[in-house]
Amino acid sequence: MTHSLKNRITSLCVGLVLLTTLVSVASFWWSTSQFQEQKVDQDISVAQNVYKQYLTSKESLLLTAAKVLTADFGFKQAVATRDAGTISSVLYNHSQRIDAQLMLLIDLSGQLISSNLEQGAFEDDLRPLLAELFNAQEQSTFVVLNNELYQVILLPVKAPRTIAYSLVGFKIDDSVASELKSLTGMDVSFVGSADNLVISSLDERPTPFEPVSYFNSATTSRIFGEYPVYRNRDINLASLATHPIIILLSADLTQSYSDFEKLFFTLIILSILTMFVGVITSSLLANNLTTPLSQLVVIAKQFAQGNYNFEFKGKKQSTEITTLVNAFDNMGNDINKREQQISFQARHDTLTGFYNRSAMLEVLDKELSELTQYTLVAIDIKGLRHINDKLGPRIGDECIKTVACRISEFSDEFGGIHARIGGDEFLTVFPSSAVSEKKCGIEGLIARLQECYTIQKLKINLQFSTGVLQYPSQGTASDDLVRRVLIAVENAANNQNHIHYYQDGEDEAHLDRLIMLDELKQAISDDDGQLFMTYQPKLHMQTQKIDKVESLIRWQRKDGSWVNPELFIDLAERSGLIVELTAWVINTVVAQVADWKSKGIELQAAINVSAQDIAYPGFHAALVATLKKHNVDARLITIELTERDMIENEEKGIKALKDLKQIGVKISLDDYGVGQTSLGRLKMLPIDELKLDKCFILKLDASQKDQFIVQSSITLGHQLGFSVVAEGVETEESLALLKTMQCDHAQGYYLSRPLKADLLEQWLEEYYGKN
């Protein structure tokens, strides 16, 4: 139950509280740290300002005292006369008056004249000090004299010219540092590194004491680790260049750490209490929500089992839960209705209400009993596609529904079962004993179906192909029954019959054709020699030379058996494999023409193509690519089509043929005279050659009627600008007659049977050797 909704809700609430706590702690930590840093920086800045004001006031006091001293007339007179007693007395009294620890009088050469301190305290030469202080007259400077730090100011004594210099200063010691600490609350240290001078407000000092190192490295142990004790700031004081003095301000952070830790622990305690309350609250909420959901889960399982009636048990629920329960109730009703509808649609045709093919197979297996004989009738509507194309799919659908209605009217009284097993195919099954004369009964059904239909005020006549099968004598399995009755329909259509009764063995023949079709497809793919081309020579009647051949495909299966070309070409056309087969033929023939050309043999090869080839969009491009591949002139290739192909695909065919003529390919109309080509259509066709059907040529020498037909056809062809080829020449007399009739080319067994390429080359050598 770790993934239950209740646990997830509880985990979510606790997680949100925990996340909020963590964010709050992190935010508190960051903001407090920033606040403390800003506060410390602000305190140090305030302390720095206090220090500056303190030193500025001291500097102002020094300047005033020095000016009063140097302006005193008696002091000037005493300095001028070098009255040591008076000078010493004045310096002492003046230092006492302003509480200055240092009062010096220095002559122009830098020698000490008098001091308020003992004379021996300044044995050093003061000239270097005096030289640096000249640059900061009337400004205080911090200097170290005899290891003591003073804030001093230098003013000249003029009478009226400068006769001496007065140096006045305050001593900076630990008491001054302590005074500054009391004003700012921070430890203050004066550091003169060049003179090893250290003055600090720190009470407890380590030994040795180096303020900069101490205050920067001092740390304290806290809960979260080691932290620095002080925040420091260095300030450079006005001092001598060779003796720099700095003041170090150090803010103690210990109290800030303590305050932060108290606030942190307070926040942690509050967070723990919040989490505890959150766990209890979320558990109650989750329990209140998941209890009705558990009941709904049970209801959903009942729905899955097909039980759509339920009763929800529970106390007062929220509006949302009540709405959800009502939605479940409505959903159950809707699913029940939709399930029934889907179940019906899954098994029935939406247009007619008949069973569909898969449902019909189930019904046949379930309903038919071998103890009873049944008749299966498959019905195919001829030309329904043309009705859809000409009148629209709505009219076509109405035709289908009306046909279905007539089928129901015929066999419902016998307890018939009906199915629509294809776009224009129906299957009806009824007990054979219900119709006293089955043949008459089925013919009566066909007669009823062929009666005129009135669809949206249109009179429409439909034609049908019907297949009939008997159960159980001609099959028992539903798959076999449907396949065999459809084979009967197909045979009815092929034989132009309205009704075809299934004959034993037709199914096997059908399966043999399917096997043959698979083998043909494999033979095209493998190109292993099963398929090969033969070539029948055509004689030019005037020159007596062989300048053309007709390419004819042959197939010898792997088991050595031969397949009639008409059979496997018809299979290829019916299955759509003809496009691949023709592509193989074109590539083979063009390659052979190229091979002959390389041997000095120039023959124009004719290739038979079908209507599907002409209609195929890629036919033209594939032919051009093949010619280019083998470097063969398009004029050496002739495309032969039958009249039937031209009639069925006239518009597309004419355009395709014109495109072929533009690249130089010759066009021949095969089997002329046995089709339905009118003279008007013949005039419009973009052809170069008429090929007379062999039915007029086989007995040409014995039939005067055939001679009239052939002579008139040759004359007509020449007058229309076509060359004429006669096929089926089997006697010398027929050949002579064709020459007399001025036929252009002749072919037939009298000249030669179709030969393989190598045998044709030998035949040509023999022919030209004799002639």
Side-chain angles (χ1 to χ4, degrees):
M1 295 296 291
T2 55
H3 297 290
S4 66
L5 179 60
K6 180 177 180 180
N7 290 339
R8 289 187 177 186
I9 294 174
T10 304
S11 301
L12 177 61
C13 294
V14 173
L16 289 175
V17 173
L18 181 60
L19 178 62
T20 303
T21 301
L22 293 176
V23 172
S24 300
V25 170
S27 176
F28 166 77
W29 189 298
W30 181 83
S31 60
T32 304
S33 300
Q34 294 294 317
F35 173 77
Q36 290 293 344
E37 289 183 4
Q38 294 175 2
K39 184 176 182 303
V40 170
D41 289 339
Q42 185 178 4
D43 291 345
I44 293 177
S45 297
V46 170
Q48 182 176 351
N49 292 332
V50 171
Y51 145 74
K52 288 182 178 179
Q53 292 176 6
Y54 177 84
L55 295 183
T56 300
S57 64
K58 287 288 187 178
E59 180 183 44
S60 176
L61 182 59
L62 285 175
L63 181 60
T64 301
K67 286 184 176 180
V68 170
L69 176 63
T70 56
D72 186 86
F73 179 76
F75 180 68
K76 291 181 179 181
Q77 188 176 16
V79 172
T81 59
R82 296 295 178 97
D83 184 352
T86 301
I87 293 171
S88 177
S89 176
V90 172
L91 292 178
Y92 177 76
N93 291 332
H94 204 66
S95 67
Q96 292 297 318
R97 191 161 42 248
I98 65 172
D99 198 21
Q101 289 80 24
L102 181 63
M103 299 287 287
L104 300 181
L105 184 65
I106 305 172
D107 62 13
L108 298 178
S109 63
Q111 296 296 321
L112 180 64
I113 298 175
S114 180
S115 170
N116 66 330
L117 302 177
E118 295 181 3
Q119 197 71 19
F122 300 97
E123 297 178 355
D124 298 336
D125 186 3
L126 298 177
R127 283 179 293 178
L129 173 63
L130 189 63
E132 290 198 42
L133 292 178
F134 279 158
N135 298 324
Q137 293 187 29
E138 297 190 7
Q139 293 182 0
S140 65
T141 305
F142 289 84
V143 298
V144 179
L145 295 174
N146 295 329
N147 295 323
E148 298 288 344
L149 178 63
Y150 295 91
Q151 182 183 11
V152 301
I153 193 167
L154 179 68
L155 287 178
V157 180
K158 298 182 180 180
R161 60 183 180 79
T162 300
I163 58 175
Y165 292 96
S166 173
L167 185 66
V168 181
F170 293 116
K171 184 179 180 181
I172 305 297
D173 55 12
D174 290 345
S175 62
V176 174
S178 298
E179 182 180 358
L180 288 174
K181 180 178 180 180
S182 65
L183 292 175
T184 62
M186 298 183 184
D187 283 301
V188 180
S189 301
F190 294 87
V191 181
S193 57
D195 300 292
N196 294 323
L197 175 71
V198 175
I199 298 171
S200 178
S201 62
L202 188 65
D203 297 329
E204 298 180 2
R205 307 179 187 178
T207 303
F209 178 58
E210 207 287 309
V212 176
S213 176
Y214 173 78
F215 284 110
N216 285 326
S217 61
T219 60
T220 179
S221 296
R222 312 302 302 180
I223 296 175
F224 302 105
E226 293 287 330
Y227 290 90
V229 178
Y230 298 97
R231 175 70 63 81
N232 304 294
R233 182 180 293 179
D234 296 339
I235 304 171
N236 293 317
L237 300 178
S239 56
L240 302 181
T242 58
H243 298 274
I245 305 297
I246 65 170
I247 183 171
L248 180 65
L249 299 179
S250 303
D252 193 340
L253 304 177
T254 306
Q255 186 60 39
S256 298
Y257 295 148
S258 298
D259 295 341
F260 172 79
E261 289 170 354
K262 290 179 181 179
L263 289 174
F264 178 77
F265 283 120
T266 301
L267 182 62
I268 292 298
I269 292 173
L270 290 175
S271 299
I272 293 174
L273 293 175
T274 303
M275 289 182 63
F276 179 74
V277 173
V279 170
I280 296 176
T281 305
S282 61
S283 297
L284 294 175
L285 174 63
N287 187 64
N288 189 38
L289 180 62
T290 55
T291 298
L293 290 180
S294 299
Q295 291 193 41
L296 292 177
V297 170
V298 175
I299 294 171
K301 291 180 179 179
Q302 293 178 0
F303 284 179
Q305 296 173 358
N307 180 13
Y308 300 105
N309 298 318
F310 71 92
E311 180 181 357
F312 183 83
K313 299 179 181 179
K315 299 179 181 179
K316 292 183 179 180
Q317 301 295 336
S318 64
T319 303
E320 291 78 9
I321 294 297
T322 302
T323 303
L324 184 60
V325 171
N326 294 333
F328 259 72
D329 188 18
N330 295 332
M331 181 179 69
N333 295 330
D334 292 343
I335 291 176
N336 190 18
K337 294 178 181 178
R338 194 175 299 113
E339 188 176 78
Q340 294 177 0
Q341 181 180 1
I342 292 173
S343 177
F344 181 85
Q345 291 178 346
R347 294 173 53 83
H348 293 78
D349 173 52
T350 56
L351 189 61
T352 62
F354 285 3
Y355 287 118
N356 56 30
R357 185 185 186 117
S358 59
M360 189 60 166
L361 293 174
E362 296 178 6
V363 171
L364 292 178
D365 284 333
K366 182 178 180 181
E367 299 293 333
L368 301 189
S369 169
E370 295 187 14
L371 299 178
T372 305
Q373 292 184 350
Y374 290 89
T375 299
L376 285 76
V377 181
I379 303 165
D380 176 74
I381 306 175
K382 293 182 180 180
L384 183 62
R385 179 172 59 86
H386 296 294
I387 293 177
N388 286 326
D389 293 341
K390 302 289 185 181
L391 303 179
R394 183 173 299 178
I395 299 296
D397 290 346
E398 289 297 325
C399 289
I400 291 174
K401 289 196 292 184
T402 307
V403 169
C405 182
R406 292 187 180 183
I407 292 174
S408 297
E409 291 174 354
F410 176 80
S411 59
D412 278 353
E413 59 180 308
F414 308 134
I417 305 171
H418 320 298
R420 184 184 177 194
I421 56 178
D424 54 3
E425 292 178 328
F426 296 89
L427 175 63
T428 180
V429 182
F430 48 83
S432 302
S433 58
V435 181
S436 58
E437 296 181 4
K438 294 178 290 185
K439 183 174 180 181
C440 179
I442 295 170
E443 290 180 347
L445 169 63
I446 299 304
R448 178 74 179 98
L449 292 177
Q450 288 181 341
E451 293 177 3
C452 183
Y453 294 81
T454 303
I455 307 296
Q456 296 184 7
K457 299 181 180 181
L458 295 175
K459 299 293 185 179
I460 300 176
N461 292 309
L462 298 178
Q463 296 298 319
F464 300 88
S465 298
T466 306
V468 182
L469 179 76
Q470 299 302 320
Y471 171 92
S473 60
Q474 293 180 322
T476 56
S478 60
D479 289 339
D480 294 339
L481 293 173
V482 172
R483 184 177 66 255
R484 290 172 182 175
V485 77
L486 290 179
I487 290 173
V489 170
E490 182 180 356
N491 288 333
N494 293 338
N495 298 327
Q496 301 296 318
N497 295 328
H498 291 306
I499 303 175
H500 179 84
Y501 292 86
Y502 177 80
Q503 302 297 321
D504 293 338
E506 289 181 346
D507 191 10
E508 289 74 9
H510 177 73
L511 294 177
D512 287 342
R513 289 195 296 272
L514 293 180
I515 294 172
M516 182 182 296
L517 191 61
D518 288 338
E519 292 182 0
L520 177 59
K521 186 174 183 179
Q522 193 65 38
I524 296 173
S525 175
D526 295 343
D527 195 13
D528 55 359
Q530 292 185 60
L531 293 172
F532 61 90
M533 300 302 301
T534 61
Y535 304 90
Q536 188 171 30
K538 296 181 182 180
L539 175 65
H540 194 287
M541 301 297 287
Q542 291 184 358
T543 63
Q544 293 298 300
K545 292 183 178 180
I546 304 299
D547 58 355
K548 294 183 179 181
V549 293
E550 180 180 3
S551 308
L552 299 168
I553 190 171
R554 297 292 184 263
W555 180 19
Q556 186 177 21
R557 299 163 83 173
K558 289 183 178 181
D559 59 4
S561 61
W562 292 86
V563 184
N564 189 314
E566 292 183 0
L567 175 59
F568 70 80
I569 290 175
D570 180 66
L571 284 177
E573 289 180 343
R574 291 177 179 275
S575 64
L577 190 62
I578 190 64
V579 174
E580 296 179 31
L581 182 61
T582 302
W584 180 89
V585 169
I586 289 176
N587 184 71
T588 304
V589 172
V590 173
Q592 184 59 59
V593 171
D595 181 62
W596 283 333
K597 188 176 180 181
S598 66
K599 297 177 180 179
I601 303 173
E602 184 166 309
L603 294 174
Q604 187 180 84
I607 302 174
N608 293 282
V609 299
S610 70
Q612 294 183 42
D613 295 317
I614 294 298
Y616 179 61
F619 177 76
H620 182 273
L623 177 58
V624 172
T626 305
L627 292 172
K628 185 177 180 180
K629 173 184 175 182
H630 297 288
N631 193 24
V632 171
D633 191 340
R635 290 175 297 179
L636 295 178
I637 300 299
T638 299
I639 297 298
E640 289 191 6
L641 297 99
T642 65
E643 289 185 76
R644 175 179 56 86
D645 292 329
M646 293 303 304
I647 292 172
E648 291 186 359
N649 300 274
E650 187 171 77
E651 184 177 350
K652 289 184 179 180
I654 290 176
K655 183 180 183 306
L657 296 180
K658 287 181 178 179
D659 293 340
L660 293 174
K661 284 180 65 68
Q662 287 182 356
I663 64 173
V665 173
K666 304 299 181 181
I667 308 299
S668 177
L669 184 62
D670 197 7
D671 297 340
Y672 177 73
V674 297
Q676 301 174 11
T677 304
S678 66
L679 295 178
R681 184 178 289 111
L682 183 63
K683 179 181 65 174
M684 298 172 56
L685 296 178
I687 61 176
D688 302 288
E689 179 181 273
L690 282 181
K691 194 170 184 182
L692 303 179
D693 190 76
K694 61 183 178 181
C695 69
F696 303 114
I697 310 299
L698 290 174
K699 298 180 180 181
L700 183 63
D701 57 334
S703 174
Q704 190 174 22
K705 290 182 180 180
D706 287 342
Q707 294 174 16
F708 292 152
I709 294 173
V710 171
Q711 179 65 73
S712 60
S713 298
I714 293 174
T715 302
L716 176 63
H718 288 165
Q719 290 175 344
L720 293 176
F722 307 146
S723 63
V724 181
V725 178
E727 63 176 342
V729 178
E730 296 191 354
T731 64
E732 182 179 1
E733 290 77 10
S734 296
L735 183 63
L737 284 172
L738 290 172
K739 185 175 182 180
T740 303
M741 295 176 184
Q742 297 184 346
C743 185
D744 298 293
H745 286 84
Q747 72 178 92
Y749 282 5
Y750 175 74
L751 296 171
S752 172
R753 291 176 176 272
L755 302 171
K756 289 187 177 181
D758 54 346
L759 296 178
L760 178 64
E761 294 173 12
Q762 297 177 11
W763 183 88
L764 288 173
E765 290 182 3
E766 295 175 0
Y767 174 79
Y768 286 117
K770 295 178 181 179
N771 300 280

